[in-house]
């Protein structure tokens, strides 16, 4: 298995632009998680899905952030418009089973908003 | 609110020294506990986890952690570190709240092992 796949690996954009991050979970996993990692705040859970349905989005910082999971093998995290304070590493993770136990992380997308 | 505290933000050790990284959580219900490691330039990997049973959990690469329920702690230990253990270590808690699961990570501890 290729593991969790994220694209792009690096993204540099200018303030105000739309940013879309993509994630392909491990096949057969029914939970998908989006995290943001910054020096100041560490690793924060933004949102997670179970069977493509958003379960808890209380970690999404504001309305500029949105996430979708149109099918079991694809999810997107969109920031519109982006701001410099959104600069961070965004991780996607997936897990299998009721409640989702061990999470497998993707390599992350390093986002820099100028 | 649930929270996870990692008290040491940076730790520097010489090779062969013993390691203990502290992790305390704040939650009164049932929890599952994890330690993840992130090596330079790599993504997060699971080091070990505790769900139930023996509170002393052994993980990969000689790491272990002890769950002490009365202290709400899950400290990570290794008797003798190696240069290759240089990484960032994250403690995480999975807590059940109103039928949904919350995954809460600590802010991480950066370990640097000097050769």
């Amino acid at each position: 298995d290729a593991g969790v796949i994220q694209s792009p690996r690096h993204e540099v954009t200018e303030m105000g632009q739309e940013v879309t991050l993509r994630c392909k979970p491990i096949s057969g996993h029914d939970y998908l998680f989006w995290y943001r990692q910054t020096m100041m705040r560490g690793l924060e859970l933004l949102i997670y899905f179970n069977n493509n349905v958003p379960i808890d989005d209380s970690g999404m910082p504001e309305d500029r952030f949105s996430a979708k999971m149109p099918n079991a093998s694809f999810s997107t995290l969109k920031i519109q418009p982006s701001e410099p304070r959104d600069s961070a590493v965004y991780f996607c993770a997936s897990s299998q089973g009721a409640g989702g136990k061990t999470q497998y992380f993707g390599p992350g997308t390093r986002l820099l908003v100028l | 609110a649930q929270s996870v505290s990692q008290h040491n933000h940076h730790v520097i050790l010489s090779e062969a020294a013993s390691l203990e990284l502290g992790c305390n959580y704040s939650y009164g219900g049932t929890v599952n506990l994890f330690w993840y490691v992130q090596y330079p330039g790599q993504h997060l990997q699971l080091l070990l986890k505790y769900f139930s049973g023996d509170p002393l959990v052994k993980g990969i690469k000689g790491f272990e952690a002890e769950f002490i329920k009365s202290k709400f702690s899950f400290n990570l230990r290794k008797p003798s570190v190696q240069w290759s253990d240089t990484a960032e270590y994250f403690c995480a808690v999975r807590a059940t709240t109103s039928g949904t699961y919350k995954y809460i990570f600590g802010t991480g501890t950066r370990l640097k092992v000097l050769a």
Side-chain angles (χ1 to χ4, degrees):
Chain A
D1 196 317
V4 175
I5 299 173
Q6 289 186 247
S7 65
R9 293 294 306 276
H10 295 88
E11 176 84 28
V12 180
T13 190
E14 292 184 349
M15 185 174 63
Q17 298 297 305
E18 178 180 295
V19 174
T20 300
L21 311 181
R22 298 173 178 78
C23 175
K24 177 177 166 47
I26 293 172
S27 177
H29 282 191
D30 55 351
Y31 281 78
L32 184 140
F33 308 83
W34 281 102
Y35 290 90
R36 177 173 67 177
Q37 183 185 33
T38 62
M39 289 291 292
M40 292 298 295
R41 300 173 68 91
L43 200 63
E44 303 171 277
L45 176 63
L46 300 177
I47 184 172
Y48 77 92
F49 295 83
N50 176 217
N51 291 325
N52 314 337
V53 176
I55 302 300
D56 185 350
D57 65 354
S58 59
M60 296 285 262
E62 47 197 275
D63 292 344
R64 297 185 296 107
F65 285 70
S66 62
K68 294 182 180 179
M69 193 165 184
N71 57 62
S73 59
F74 183 65
S75 176
T76 58
L77 177 67
K78 187 176 290 188
I79 309 172
Q80 166 63 13
S82 58
E83 296 182 4
R85 60 195 169 111
D86 301 330
S87 298
V89 182
Y90 291 81
F91 287 98
C92 176
S94 70
S95 65
Q96 182 179 46
K101 297 193 174 178
T102 303
Q103 296 178 48
Y104 296 85
F105 283 75
T109 295
R110 192 172 293 274
L111 172 66
L112 177 61
V113 183
L114 302 174
Chain B
Q2 304 95 341
S3 66
V4 176
S5 298
Q6 291 183 242
H7 313 295
N8 308 106
H9 297 292
H10 293 86
V11 173
I12 301 176
L13 294 172
S14 298
E15 272 195 315
S18 64
L19 170 72
E20 181 159 3
L21 301 182
C23 173
N24 286 91
Y25 65 92
S26 170
Y27 183 66
T30 301
V31 295
N32 302 131
L33 299 154
F34 306 82
W35 275 98
Y36 284 85
V37 60
Q38 187 175 25
Y39 295 104
Q42 298 186 27
H43 55 86
L44 285 168
Q45 302 170 42
L46 181 68
L47 205 52
L48 49 78
K49 61 186 177 184
Y50 171 80
F51 283 170
S52 63
D54 189 345
L56 184 61
V57 180
K58 294 194 183 297
I60 60 172
K61 303 185 181 184
F63 285 90
E64 65 178 30
E66 184 174 13
F67 171 49
I68 302 179
K69 190 174 182 179
S70 61
K71 295 184 178 181
F72 297 90
S73 69
F74 190 56
N75 292 353
L76 180 71
R77 299 194 294 251
K78 184 170 183 178
S80 176
V81 294
Q82 301 173 306
W83 177 81
S84 57
D85 293 325
T86 294
E88 190 161 14
Y89 293 81
F90 293 90
C91 180
V93 166
R94 188 188 76 148
T96 306
T97 304
S98 302
T100 63
Y101 295 92
K102 286 272 187 194
Y103 289 85
I104 306 135
F105 280 74
T107 52
T109 297
R110 286 182 184 268
L111 171 66
K112 185 172 178 61
V113 180
L114 305 175

